[in-house]
């Protein structure tokens, strides 16, 4: 049994890279969709889609994580670069609405 699941791809996954620094996985499917996943929460953080119609329907056959430059390189009959956001910087930029963690939420039909 798996200890967790990251669901969101419609087609088969062909490649997975790990970003150890930020605790992320980057997956590539046969439909040329890339997803960046948080390995603690199993949530999808970013989604890219290569919609470039290449002659012969060339599919992406290679993927490399270039962490020093925060980008993903993919290859088919061309090499494409995809920008990744810095998850630590992104987390610091989020607006905080609570000083303490939320531990309870109440729902009523009036809301």
């Amino acid at each position: 049994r798996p200890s967790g699941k990251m669901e969101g791809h419609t087609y088969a996954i062909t490649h997975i890279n790990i970003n150890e620094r930020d605790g992320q996985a980057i997956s590539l499917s046969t439909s040329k969709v890339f997803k960046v996943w948080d390995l603690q929460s199993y949530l999808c953080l970013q989604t890219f889609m290569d919609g470039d119609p290449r002659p012969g329907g060339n599919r992406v056959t290679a993927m490399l994580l270039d962490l020093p430059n925060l980008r993903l390189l993919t290859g088919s009959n061309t090499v494409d670069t995809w920008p990744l956001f810095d998850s630590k910087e992104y987390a610091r930029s989020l607006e905080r609405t609570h000083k303490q963690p939320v531990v309870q939420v109440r729902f009523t039909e009036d809301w």
Side-chain angles (χ1 to χ4, degrees):
R1 269 177 67 107
S3 61
K5 286 188 180 188
M6 293 171 268
E7 298 177 312
H9 280 287
T10 306
Y11 295 93
I13 295 169
T14 58
H15 292 82
I16 298 173
N17 274 328
I18 299 296
N19 173 350
E20 291 182 31
R21 184 193 78 181
D22 295 333
Q24 298 172 341
I26 302 168
S27 56
L28 165 64
S29 74
T30 57
S31 63
K32 300 192 284 186
V33 171
F34 316 90
K35 291 187 176 282
V36 180
W37 304 91
D38 180 88
L39 291 173
Q40 287 188 338
S41 66
Y42 303 127
L43 295 175
C44 181
L45 304 174
Q46 275 183 283
T47 300
F48 302 100
M49 187 168 129
D50 183 358
D52 185 15
R54 294 183 178 99
N58 291 323
R59 59 180 268 241
V60 176
T61 58
M63 179 172 71
L64 175 73
L65 175 62
D66 178 12
L67 195 52
N69 295 303
L70 280 174
R71 64 185 176 182
L72 185 66
L73 284 78
T74 59
S76 58
N77 64 337
T78 62
V79 176
D80 295 320
T81 61
W82 305 84
L84 299 173
F85 67 78
D86 186 331
S87 61
K88 292 177 184 176
E89 191 64 36
Y90 176 72
R92 282 192 290 271
S93 74
L94 293 175
E95 181 180 339
R96 303 288 188 246
T97 58
H98 301 288
K99 291 182 181 180
Q100 298 293 322
V102 176
V103 294
Q104 186 176 29
V105 176
R106 181 177 225 170
F107 175 78
T108 66
E109 290 185 25
D110 296 335
W111 290 2

